[in-house]
Amino acid sequence: MSAQHPDDGSKKVKNIAAVLYLLVLTFLVGGSYLHQQQTDATLAASAAAKP
């Protein structure tokens, strides 16, 4: 039989929380980057369309 230490559960929870935090952070930063790229492209297109 394998004996579990009492810290194993909290360590697993902390690891899961860290992964979720990184996923949320990546989503927010990636979304901001894509939005900025889209805004820059829109501004460049509107500037090129003006006579």
Side-chain angles (χ1 to χ4, degrees):
M1 295 197 184
S2 63
Q4 277 191 325
H5 298 332
D7 293 339
D8 288 348
S10 63
K11 190 174 185 180
K12 186 175 182 179
V13 170
K14 286 180 183 179
N15 285 339
I16 292 172
V19 169
L20 288 176
Y21 175 77
L22 290 175
L23 287 174
V24 170
L25 190 63
T26 302
F27 178 77
L28 290 174
V29 171
S32 296
Y33 177 76
L34 291 175
H35 180 70
Q36 183 65 37
Q37 294 298 316
Q38 183 181 10
T39 303
D40 290 346
T42 304
L43 290 174
S46 66
K50 289 184 181 178

